[in-house]
Amino acid sequence: MAAKLIKGTEISKQIREEIAKEIEELKQKHGVTPGLATILLGEDPGSKVYVGQKEKACNKLGIYSERTDLPADTSEDDLLELVKKLNDNPKIHGILVQLPLPKHIDAERVIYAIDPDKDVDCFNPVNVGKLMLGTGRFLPCTPHGIMELLRRSDITTEGKHVVVVGRSNIVGKPIANMMMQRPSGGNATVTLCHTGTKDLAAFTKMADILIVAVGHPKTITADMVKEGVVVIDVGVNRIGKTPEGKAILAGDVDFDAVQEKAAAITPVPGGVGPMTITMLMRNTVEAAKASI
Ligand code: GUN
């Protein structure tokens, strides 16, 4: 039987409507317009698309957006100076430096330099630490998006075995952490698999909820999952181009085969992807509220 599709595009739309109402209220009651600054270094086409989408989402929701595009050879000092200016700018509540940064820049230094109260990515170690303690204001965007996708699809995590594949700082590590937390998190039993895992399939077959964020198409095949699993596919892999030159995208999961066994699954595109930007908007509004 084919799985239920977890439609990120629709859920994201619903959340954006809720956010738009909050923004209106912030403006009316407090005269505060949430503001997001984005910084992009260089010409990477993927990064340009992402930053463009963030800017567009701000404009649609009524969030003030300030975008700075800089050449790839911008010095670390100049970038740090810009971050400092934005830290001090009261019109800006969130600062996002698009990653990856060029190799000559120490990304960790730049992330450290962002005021933790404006760190809407939740990448600053202060916020990562608070996330681990379960006390933070911000949740990282993609993991938060995953939690909302499940919650709004009436899929409970309580007591389930959640298997995460991939240990990135952006997705794997934080989602594993959030899933095991209580009361704000998933209260699930969590297994984190990575490139050092021996016999990956032995673990993925045990998953009630399988979250995959590795960046390789078809890493998870049908023989690696059990009947009735819920699959969250975070991968966005460019596997070719249409005759018109548009990128053909695929996730990390062999969607066609796995959906035959799964109870529910996210598509790529249209699953986790739209949620990431929506949760960035959510964090920007949270930061603006905290500034009142
Ligand atoms: N590059 C890829 N994903 C992200 C993200 O969520 N935030 C930032 N700042 N850079 C990214």
Side-chain angles (χ1 to χ4, degrees):
M1 200 183 76
K4 173 190 159 173
L5 269 190
I6 301 174
K7 293 178 184 161
T9 312
E10 282 178 16
I11 294 173
S12 171
K13 198 166 159 241
Q14 219 179 66
I15 299 173
R16 287 190 197 197
E17 282 166 12
E18 294 164 14
I19 296 173
K21 282 192 193 130
E22 283 183 49
I23 294 172
E24 203 42 49
E25 201 174 304
L26 266 174
K27 288 181 182 175
Q28 299 281 336
K29 280 199 188 152
H30 303 282
V32 171
T33 300
L36 176 70
T38 55
I39 304 174
L40 172 65
L41 262 69
E43 300 292 330
D44 178 75
S47 293
K48 272 188 164 176
V49 169
Y50 285 134
V51 173
Q53 287 173 342
K54 289 164 190 175
E55 205 182 8
K56 207 167 133 194
C58 283
N59 294 339
K60 269 189 119 170
L61 282 172
I63 292 176
Y64 168 67
S65 157
E66 205 170 286
R67 172 173 172 172
T68 310
D69 286 22
L70 297 168
D73 62 358
T74 301
S75 72
E76 189 174 299
D77 283 348
D78 284 352
L79 178 57
L80 289 169
E81 189 57 35
L82 173 60
V83 168
K84 189 174 175 306
K85 269 196 193 142
L86 293 167
N87 281 343
D88 295 337
N89 182 346
K91 274 166 70 179
I92 297 300
H93 303 97
I95 301 170
L96 180 140
V97 180
Q98 186 66 26
L99 303 178
L101 285 166
K103 286 202 167 52
H104 67 280
I105 290 181
D106 181 350
E108 201 178 319
R109 268 193 87 194
V110 176
I111 290 166
Y112 256 109
I114 298 171
D115 179 347
D117 290 339
K118 297 191 177 189
D119 171 38
V120 283
D121 264 324
C122 194
F123 288 172
N124 184 300
V126 169
N127 289 327
V128 176
K130 285 185 179 175
L131 172 73
M132 237 193 95
L133 296 169
T135 60
R137 170 179 307 143
F138 300 124
L139 291 173
C141 302
T142 302
H144 194 187
I146 294 171
M147 299 298 275
E148 283 294 317
L149 280 180
L150 293 171
R151 196 171 70 78
R152 290 173 189 251
S153 306
D154 294 321
I155 296 165
T156 57
T157 54
E158 182 91 17
K160 301 264 176 78
H161 185 189
V162 175
V163 176
V164 178
V165 187
R167 58 178 151 191
S168 69
N169 290 336
I170 295 184
V171 183
K173 284 182 200 165
I175 191 66
N177 199 278
M178 287 158 68
M179 278 293 177
M180 63 90 182
Q181 293 211 28
R182 187 178 63 144
S184 55
N187 200 22
T189 301
V190 177
T191 300
L192 179 59
C193 300
H194 45 73
T195 47
T197 300
K198 293 195 176 108
D199 195 359
L200 176 63
F203 294 99
T204 56
K205 272 185 211 162
M206 287 195 287
D208 299 316
I209 299 174
L210 180 63
I211 301 172
V212 191
V214 294
H216 294 288
K218 298 197 180 177
T219 298
I220 303 297
T221 48
D223 57 322
M224 295 170 75
V225 301
K226 71 177 181 189
E227 289 283 343
V229 65
V230 171
V231 179
I232 304 291
D233 188 351
V234 187
V236 183
N237 304 295
R238 283 157 216 266
I239 56 166
K241 279 189 176 171
T242 64
E244 299 79 40
K246 256 187 95 179
I248 300 170
L249 302 179
D252 293 341
V253 174
D254 182 357
F255 181 88
D256 291 340
V258 171
Q259 62 128 14
E260 293 293 333
K261 285 176 93 176
I265 188 167
T266 57
V268 178
V272 176
M275 295 297 287
T276 298
I277 294 181
T278 298
M279 301 330 281
L280 175 69
M281 302 296 113
R282 160 94 280 136
N283 279 350
T284 305
V285 172
E286 288 305 318
K289 277 190 200 163
S291 76
I292 297 167

